[in-house]
Amino acid sequence: MTLNVLILGGTAEGRVLAERLASDGRFVTLLSFAGRTASLQRPQTPHRVGGFGGPEGLRTFLQRERFDALIDATHPFAAQMSANAVRAAHAAHVPLIRLARPAWRPQAGDRWTQVVTMADAAGAIGDAPRRVFLSVGRTEIAAFAAAPQHEYLIRAVDDFDPGLPRARVLAARGPFAFADELRLLRGEAIDVIVSKNSGSDATHAKLEAARSLGIPVIMVEQPALPPARLAHTLDEIVAWLNALHAAPVARREV
Ligand code: NAP
């Protein structure tokens, strides 16, 4: 028999997991995207796009589509979705596992200021006008309206109107290479970087470039998430699924 698996995506790891499970006849997967980007790169594996309608909507979806397992492979900053997953999985009696991506840690030579919110990040840039490389999402830009004295270069997947007086958008999708990041930071005479601590390999090179140029980084740390069973690698998730598949009677009780 097959195990019906819903994967909440938004990360490269979610896609890789769906592809990996596609070649295993024991599992049927559906990969779910929020639909945040206009230029969604559709995977080859079965997928859907759009919200479920809160935790209650997700619970209904899990039960109606008879899912046996829920995998939270969302972005570390997608805190609402991760919280919804915990509530819905509990209510629907569907086992849940979350892929926990470790945050980046400062290394020798880094000049980080670690903050909790985007508003804190905007304040930490300081009063004097600076050239800021904003590596944050479109939905988070509003916080920087409180610091209009700075010039912003915003890198985002899609182009958009940032609604800030001195801001440009650089539409680009990672992964980004060290040499390109170095060129960008130098060429744009960037004074400071604001970044979310996504822990992603695809966007880490900017931090190495910042270190080598001595550029300070304001790092917005990952939000706290409600407790859930955690996996740190895709292998751990596959092992968990293997165990669920091997215990068909018990699996809905987990
Ligand atoms: P969020 O605030 O956690 O989620 C808001 C709502 O979006 C959820 O309640 C859910 O709507 C829907 N949603 C989120 N992920 C979903 C998924 N995988 N499948 C279906 N619906 C989903 O997350 P966010 O608004 O997407 O982003 C918050 C932060 O994460 C931002 O910092 C953003 O830059 C970052 N981020 C997100 C993604 C992504 O793919 N979502 C990728 C990269 C970075 P319902 O309540 O209606 O179910």
Side-chain angles (χ1 to χ4, degrees), residues 129-219:
R130 303 181 85 185
R131 292 177 64 84
V132 185
F133 180 48
L134 270 190
S135 175
V136 304
R138 173 168 42 98
T139 53
E140 289 132 348
I141 293 302
F144 297 88
Q149 70 273 31
H150 307 301
E151 271 191 54
Y152 294 102
L153 178 65
I154 304 161
R155 184 163 66 193
V157 174
D158 297 313
D159 198 3
F160 66 100
D161 176 5
L164 295 172
R166 279 177 289 281
R168 279 178 298 139
V169 174
L170 178 61
R173 189 188 286 274
F176 302 105
F178 173 75
D180 295 330
E181 299 292 60
L182 209 55
R183 200 173 306 119
L184 178 72
L185 296 177
R186 268 202 193 115
E188 295 284 346
I190 295 298
D191 297 315
V192 58
I193 296 173
V194 177
S195 175
K196 287 187 291 197
N197 195 336
S198 74
S200 166
D201 292 343
T203 54
H204 186 256
K206 64 173 179 273
L207 302 177
E208 294 163 33
R211 189 182 310 132
S212 74
L213 295 173
I215 295 175
V217 176
I218 298 168
M219 188 64 78

Side-chain angles (χ1 to χ4, degrees), residues 57-96:
L58 179 56
R59 181 190 68 78
T60 305
F61 187 79
L62 287 168
Q63 290 178 322
R64 194 184 62 221
E65 307 295 325
R66 304 188 63 78
F67 281 101
D68 301 300
L70 179 60
I71 296 171
D72 178 358
T74 58
H75 190 271
F77 281 71
Q80 185 63 57
M81 189 71 251
S82 289
N84 291 357
V86 169
R87 286 179 57 187
H90 180 76
H93 303 290
V94 171
L96 164 71

Side-chain angles (χ1 to χ4, degrees), residues 17 20-21 26-27 97 233-246:
L17 179 64
R20 189 165 157 184
L21 295 176
R26 294 173 302 162
F27 305 113
I97 196 164
T233 63
L234 294 187
D235 282 346
E236 283 178 44
I237 293 183
V238 172
W240 179 77
L241 287 172
N242 286 339
L244 275 185
H245 186 268

